[in-house]
Structures are given as structure tokens and as C-alpha cells.
Amino acid sequence: MKSNISFYEKRIDNKNKELKEIDNKCNFFSILRLVIAVLAIITTYFLYKNKSYKFILMEIIAFIIAFTFIAYIHSKTVEYKKMLKININVNEDALSRVNGKWKEFLDKGEEYLNVEHPFINDLDIFGKGSLFQWINTTTTLFGRKSLKEKLSIIKLPKKEEIYANQKMLKELGEKINFRQDIESLGRVYNKEKGDIDTFLKWAKERNDSILNIPTLIISIIMPILTVGSIILFYPLNKISTVMPSLFIILNIIIIKFLVKDRSNTISVMYDLRYKIKTYFRIIKRINEEDFQNEDLNMLKGRLTNKNKKSAAEALRLLDRLEGKVSDTGNMFYLIMNFLFLWDIHLLREFEKWRRENGGNIEEWFFVLGEIEALSSIANLNFDNKDWSYPSINDELKLSAINIGHPFLGDKMITNDLLMEKNKNIILITGSNMSGKSTFLRTIGINMILTYLGAPACAKEFSCPILNIYTCMRIGDNLEENISSFYAEILRVKNLIEATKREEKVFFLLDEIFKGTNSIDRHTGAEILINQLCEKDAMGFVSTHDLELCDLEEKNQKVLNYHFEEYYVNNEIKFDYKLKRGKSNTRNAVYLMRMAGIDI
């Protein structure tokens, strides 16, 4: 990870140097445009004073061409400067991911927290200091939705799917420029308004009247009659003003009654013009990328319409049509509309577009979202070269060498672990703050990473594919009038019901039944563990109930492990290393004294 810190710092430094050069170019072009304008005024005045009238028009045209050309180059340079600034921000965020400052990111995905979900709240999948906050680089609604669904493990993946995802993520992980390009392109208009669901609805609708033969004939004949009558009136002066006026009034009536879909189409396109431009640019960038992985190429191959035209080409055409929509409010467009029925021609183009592409829009946006979500997860591949890709066990066996919690960075302490089929429940004891809860989350989050196809934060890691159930962060629910103990019972009930449905489950139970008295806690925990031993289940139970450790002697599937503290100059220390056997230390009294409570 330290090597990546210097990698991103170097990229930021190089791009800042380039930004200074682009700034100088922008200033140069600004001055050049001013010089051209001033020279045009001076030259025109000089020619006028010398009565060289025949050269004035030529001179003005020449200066207009020069000014327009320089203005075009200037606008492109300004646009590149904007993209460069965004790309610098993207690299600064990437640097924050590897130097531990990612917890300052504003987007935490807190709206996805769900107390009913089997594990996302307990394992910090969403919310402050979460996996989502750390890796999310999506910029579109589709990417965000796809990443949310992947992190939530809505459907447990098969072994083959995990290995296929590993291959995709390995390739995407190395494509740092591609990943940063699609993130940068997505940030350009990321905060623009527009409801994409309205657009998807519009894409499925049809307006048959706009494409029928009578409408086509009217859209051709009426402009000819209108313009012809105007020419006959002026300059030929062959007819009165009645005929041109009549045809213009007829055109206005036609626009009013024939173009019923105008306001809906134009409203949708105007509101979404920047988002569509963004999607077009991202999809175009995806189409341009050469992938070696077959699954990535299959995703990319879905970016076509029914006529095998590429999504990028189709969206570029839509982007051009939307450019015309932006002009519908100015006076020139209104005049041309009354003369040539431009609304009809514009809506015909939109109707043809949605008939050809409307059925593929959701598919395109799905692919866009998938690529964005996979690119977010691939950050882990690129930024953590010392992590390893896990293997999948077909039986209830879990093993880890130097496994750690990925969120802890330089503070991370690693451990080794082996859980075999006949030793599938581990009791963890230890004093307060010794590392029990963190270790449970360490195993849980690395299993989630495994199911995503990402590398695990371990030298080696191997696990089965199981439905994960946790019971760790339990609190009172005042709205539902539920105490923390009863909330814990409900979580345990969900676990038991899953085993009764013959689900293969992995459980993480932190300080089980801590909300009740010691006798009931011990009895309930012992019954629960014995029940779980009889099912296709494996997992961890942390507890302060040292008597519960006697289960190891009664039940051959239970193993005891513990964490412990030590003291240096009467100061408490923790090594956070997992050890075999039950804990023999306590520190509650010491911690109370340390907090200032006289005991």
C-alpha cells in the first residue's frame, strides 16, 4: 500500500504540472481572441477611412473565421482543463483510500443501512467507516445501485461465479487509467438535475401519429407553401400578405394540435441533456477499451441495439438531438418552427430514435452500472498488492494465514486460524477491549470480499460459501418498543429459522445474550450452540461467560480461543493475537479505575 501512496502522489504531481501548462494555454488563447477582436475593429476602421469598401466584407469574414477557430480551440482547451482538474481530484481520493483518510469521504451509503439485513450493519458494509465509503467510485445511479446490490450479497454466488469475478477484477484492477477515466467522466455533470426514470418511461412510449404518412406529407408540403408564398409576396410582390399570413397561422395550428407529444419529449430531454451526455461519454469510453477477459467482453458486447449499432453511436445521436432541444426557446427557432415545422421534424427524429433504441436503454444502463461497480471493487485489487485471492472450500472448512481487518490500515494486527468440519464452532473469550469483536468482523468482512471476487486481507484465505448471519450491534428500538435483549433474540431467531430451512450458514455472535442475567445467558447460549452444532453451520461466538468454555469438553465440535491483555509499568496493553484455550484474565476493574471511577 505504501508503494501506491507514492504512485498516486506522482500522478497528482504530474497532472498539476500539466494543469499549469494548460492554464498558460488558456490565458494565451484568451489574449489572442482579444487581439483578433481589436485588430478587426482597427482594420475595419482603417479600410473605411481609406474608402476601401470592397475589402471590408472580406476582412470581416476573415477575422470572424480566425476568431471562431481560436474560440473553438480555446473552448476545447478549457474543457480539457476541467477534465484534468476532475482527474486530479480522482487521484487525490485514490490517495486518501491508501493513506487512511477515506473515512472523510462524504458519501457513506447510509441510506442502505438496514437492521433487518443479516449482516450489513454489523460488518460495516454501509455507513460511516464502511466498505462502501472506502471503495465507492460510482458516479451514476446505475453504478451505485449495482454496487449496493453486490455488497449486500442479495444472492449467494456460486463457486464458479466467484472465480469468474476474480478474473474480471484482476484485469480491471490493473486498468487504472480506464477506471479513473470513467470516474472522471461521470463527475463532470454529476450534480445535474433530471429524473432518469422519466427518461426510461419515455423510451418505452410510442407516438404513432408523428410517423404516419399524412404527418410526413404535411411536414413537407406546408413549409414549401409557406416559403413559396413569402417569396411571391416579397420580393416578387405577386400576392398580398394574406396568403403568407394564412400559411403561418396554419403552421401554428398544426404545431398546436398535431405535435401533442412535444412538451413531454422536450421537457424530458432538456432536463436530462447533461446526464445523457455523461452516459454517452462513459459508454463510449467502455467501448474503446480492449479487454482480455471474456466476461468483460461479453458485458461490453451488450452495448448494442437491435440493429447491432453501438450504444455509444446511438447515444451520440441522441446527444445531438438534445442539442437542438436546447435551442427551442430562442427567437430564431420559433421563427423557423413557424416556417418549416421544425417541431414535427425534431419529434420524428426522437420517435425514430426511441423505436430503434428504447428497448435497449435499460440494458445499456445496467452494463454501465456493472462496469462502475466492478471498477469500484477493483480498487482493492490495485491498492493492496499484498492481499491474496481466496480459494473456495466445498465443505465446512475455513483457514486463514495472517488475516486482518482491512479498515485498520497500519494499526492492523493479523492472525492465523483453522476451522475444520468437525470443529466448526469457536468460542472466543477475553477481557474488554482485547479484540474479540474486531476479530469476528475481520472474518466476516473477508468472507464478503471473497464472495465479491475481491482479494482477502490475508496472506492466504479459504472459506466455504455460506449465508452470513450476525448478531453484534444490538440496541433498543424505541419506535418499535423493542429492548436490546429482545432485538438480540429476534436476530438469533432469524439464524435458527435459516438453519431450519436447511440453509448453510456462517454466524458471528458477539457477547451472546448479554442483555440478561448470567444464569439465563449461560443456559441460552449453551442450548443455542448445541443446536447449531447439529446443523450445516459454522461460526464464532464471543462471550464473557467463562463457564461456557466447558462446552469444549462436552461437545467435540466446539473449540476455545481467547485474546488477552498484559501490563507494562502498571499500564494495560493488548497484543490482539488469537490464542488457543479460554481466557484467564479480567480487566474490568482496571478499566473503571482508568476512567476515573474510584473502586
Side-chain angles (χ1 to χ4, degrees):
M1 190 172 285
K2 289 183 179 179
S3 62
N4 275 3
I5 289 177
S6 60
F7 171 82
Y8 289 121
E9 287 176 340
K10 186 175 181 180
R11 283 174 75 90
I12 293 169
D13 184 57
N14 289 339
K15 290 179 184 297
N16 275 320
K17 290 177 181 177
E18 185 181 0
L19 184 61
K20 290 181 180 178
E21 294 177 2
I22 296 298
D23 267 331
N24 291 335
K25 285 185 178 180
C26 286
N27 292 335
F28 170 75
F29 288 130
S30 294
I31 294 172
L32 188 58
R33 289 171 66 178
L34 178 62
V35 169
I36 290 173
V38 171
L39 284 175
I41 293 172
I42 293 173
T43 305
T44 302
Y45 176 77
F46 177 79
L47 292 174
Y48 179 79
K49 287 287 288 183
N50 287 277
K51 299 182 179 180
S52 302
Y53 304 125
K54 63 181 180 179
F55 294 111
I56 290 178
L57 181 60
M58 296 173 57
E59 170 262 336
I60 290 175
I61 292 173
F63 274 113
I64 288 175
I65 292 172
F67 186 88
T68 303
F69 177 71
I70 296 301
Y72 174 78
I73 296 176
H74 187 204
S75 67
K76 289 294 182 182
T77 307
V78 170
E79 185 177 353
Y80 181 75
K81 176 183 174 181
K82 181 179 180 180
M83 283 297 301
L84 191 57
K85 284 183 175 180
I86 291 173
N87 196 258
I88 290 172
N89 291 334
V90 166
N91 277 278
E92 288 172 344
D93 285 349
L95 178 60
S96 294
R97 286 189 189 92
V98 297
N99 67 14
K101 295 182 179 179
W102 57 270
K103 293 179 182 178
E104 298 173 7
F105 293 166
L106 297 178
D107 190 1
K108 308 176 184 67
E110 291 174 313
E111 67 272 30
Y112 301 135
L113 289 169
N114 181 5
V115 294
E116 303 295 329
H117 192 278
F119 63 80
I120 59 174
N121 285 22
D122 288 339
L123 297 184
D124 300 310
I125 305 302
F126 303 106
K128 184 174 176 58
S130 66
L131 181 60
F132 181 90
Q133 185 182 17
W134 187 23
I135 68 172
N136 176 39
T137 55
T138 66
T139 57
T140 70
L141 294 173
F142 318 104
R144 188 180 180 82
K145 178 184 177 183
S146 179
L147 183 60
K148 176 254 183 181
E149 291 176 350
K150 290 181 185 299
L151 298 186
S152 301
I153 314 292
I154 292 176
K155 181 182 178 184
L156 207 59
K158 296 180 180 179
K159 182 178 182 178
E160 296 75 18
E161 292 173 332
I162 292 174
Y163 288 145
N165 284 340
Q166 286 182 359
K167 292 178 182 178
M168 284 194 290
L169 292 172
K170 283 178 182 178
E171 180 169 347
L172 282 175
E174 296 306 314
K175 289 183 176 293
I176 178 68
N177 290 329
F178 169 73
R179 290 188 288 109
Q180 290 195 349
D181 282 352
I182 63 173
E183 183 182 359
S184 298
L185 289 169
R187 288 191 181 192
V188 176
Y189 302 116
N190 194 30
K191 296 182 180 179
E192 296 296 332
K193 67 175 183 176
D195 182 9
I196 200 66
D197 289 331
T198 304
F199 173 69
L200 294 175
K201 180 182 177 183
W202 171 87
K204 295 177 181 178
E205 292 173 347
R206 296 294 179 263
N207 182 2
D208 295 327
S209 64
I210 200 70
L211 291 181
N212 62 30
I213 299 299
T215 303
L216 176 61
I217 293 172
I218 290 172
S219 68
I220 295 173
I221 296 298
M222 287 305 298
I224 293 174
L225 293 175
T226 304
V227 174
S229 66
I230 292 173
I231 292 173
L232 288 174
F233 167 67
Y234 181 84
L236 298 180
N237 199 24
K238 297 289 185 179
I239 59 175
S240 68
T241 59
V242 175
M243 290 301 293
S245 300
L246 178 61
F247 284 125
I248 290 174
I249 292 171
L250 283 173
N251 284 348
I252 294 173
I253 293 172
I254 290 169
I255 292 169
K256 179 69 175 176
F257 291 99
L258 190 60
V259 191
K260 296 178 181 179
D261 192 40
R262 179 189 187 278
S263 61
N264 178 46
T265 297
I266 289 179
S267 176
V268 169
M269 293 304 156
Y270 186 79
D271 287 346
L272 286 163
R273 63 194 185 282
Y274 293 118
K275 283 191 176 180
I276 296 299
K277 189 185 293 289
T278 295
Y279 301 153
F280 153 60
R281 289 180 175 182
I282 296 175
I283 288 175
K284 180 174 179 289
R285 182 64 183 87
I286 294 171
N287 271 334
E288 291 171 349
E289 188 66 23
D290 291 325
F291 297 112
Q292 300 300 315
N293 181 266
E294 183 180 347
D295 290 322
L296 288 174
N297 277 317
M298 286 179 64
L299 266 179
K300 176 179 165 182
R302 293 162 70 176
L303 294 173
T304 58
N305 65 12
K306 61 183 181 181
N307 297 324
K308 302 302 179 183
K309 182 187 294 184
S310 74
E313 185 179 347
L315 288 173
R316 178 171 55 208
L317 174 58
L318 183 62
D319 184 43
R320 290 174 180 171
L321 291 175
E322 286 175 335
K324 297 178 181 178
V325 168
S326 300
D327 297 330
T328 57
N330 63 48
M331 185 58 67
F332 177 77
Y333 182 91
L334 291 175
I335 294 172
M336 293 297 103
N337 195 22
F338 295 154
L339 294 177
F340 299 104
L341 300 178
W342 276 10
D343 272 357
I344 293 179
H345 295 287
L346 183 58
L347 289 186
R348 283 177 61 84
E349 291 299 313
F350 276 120
E351 186 64 27
K352 290 177 184 177
W353 188 94
R354 71 178 173 184
R355 285 175 182 251
E356 183 177 4
N357 303 289
N360 301 102
I361 295 295
E362 289 184 339
E363 176 81 351
W364 296 346
F365 289 166
F366 170 79
V367 172
L368 188 158
E370 282 289 292
I371 295 293
E372 273 201 301
L374 289 169
S375 295
S376 290
I377 300 169
N379 288 320
L380 297 171
N381 303 54
F382 184 78
D383 291 336
N384 301 280
K385 304 292 187 183
D386 53 340
W387 292 12
S388 64
Y389 285 92
S391 59
I392 304 300
N393 290 325
D394 294 323
E395 56 184 21
L396 293 179
K397 181 179 179 181
L398 185 149
S399 63
I401 298 177
N402 291 345
I403 192 168
H405 199 298
F407 298 174
L408 296 179
D410 294 336
K411 296 179 181 179
M412 179 177 65
I413 302 296
T414 62
N415 281 286
D416 298 344
L417 178 70
L418 176 62
M419 293 180 72
E420 298 187 90
K421 185 177 181 180
N422 59 343
K423 299 286 185 181
N424 56 325
I425 294 182
I426 289 181
L427 281 175
I428 299 182
T429 51
S431 54
N432 298 287
M433 300 171 58
S434 60
K436 301 187 299 299
S437 301
T438 299
F439 183 73
L440 265 60
R441 290 191 175 90
T442 296
I443 300 300
I445 194 67
N446 278 288
M447 290 184 72
I448 298 301
L449 294 177
T450 299
Y451 298 163
L452 292 171
C457 183
K459 183 178 179 181
E460 293 181 16
F461 187 58
S462 178
C463 68
I465 301 173
L466 305 172
N467 288 298
I468 299 174
Y469 288 84
T470 64
C471 182
M472 304 181 74
R473 289 195 183 106
I474 305 297
D476 297 336
N477 188 329
L478 297 179
E479 291 183 3
E480 300 292 334
N481 196 26
I482 294 175
S483 68
S484 60
F485 178 63
Y486 190 68
E488 185 177 12
I489 290 175
L490 293 178
R491 298 285 291 185
V492 172
K493 177 188 174 185
N494 291 337
L495 168 60
I496 295 299
E497 289 179 345
T499 62
K500 289 180 179 179
R501 293 191 299 268
E502 297 185 351
E503 287 185 25
K504 292 184 176 181
V505 303
F506 184 87
F507 56 87
L508 298 168
L509 308 178
D510 189 25
E511 297 186 21
I512 188 68
F513 300 140
K514 54 184 173 289
T516 188
N517 64 78
S518 58
I519 296 175
D520 288 343
R521 178 175 67 240
H522 178 87
T523 303
E526 185 171 350
I527 292 172
L528 174 62
I529 291 170
N530 285 328
Q531 285 182 358
L532 291 171
C533 285
E534 298 173 0
K535 304 293 184 178
D536 277 335
M538 67 187 305
F540 294 80
V541 179
S542 73
T543 181
H544 285 288
D545 182 4
L546 298 180
E547 289 77 13
L548 197 61
C549 296
D550 295 340
L551 270 174
E552 186 181 52
E553 299 175 4
K554 305 174 186 177
N555 191 327
Q556 63 178 1
K557 292 188 176 182
V558 177
L559 284 177
N560 287 322
Y561 280 85
H562 73 279
F563 290 96
E564 63 184 15
E565 78 280 12
Y566 62 95
Y567 297 86
V568 176
N569 297 325
N570 202 33
E571 183 179 347
I572 193 169
K573 301 286 185 180
F574 301 97
D575 61 11
Y576 304 110
K577 301 299 287 187
L578 185 68
K579 302 176 179 65
R580 186 71 174 85
K582 73 175 182 178
S583 173
N584 293 309
T585 62
R586 296 173 176 83
N587 66 6
V589 173
Y590 178 91
L591 293 175
M592 285 187 280
R593 286 174 179 165
M594 189 173 70
I597 300 174
D598 293 330
I599 295 180

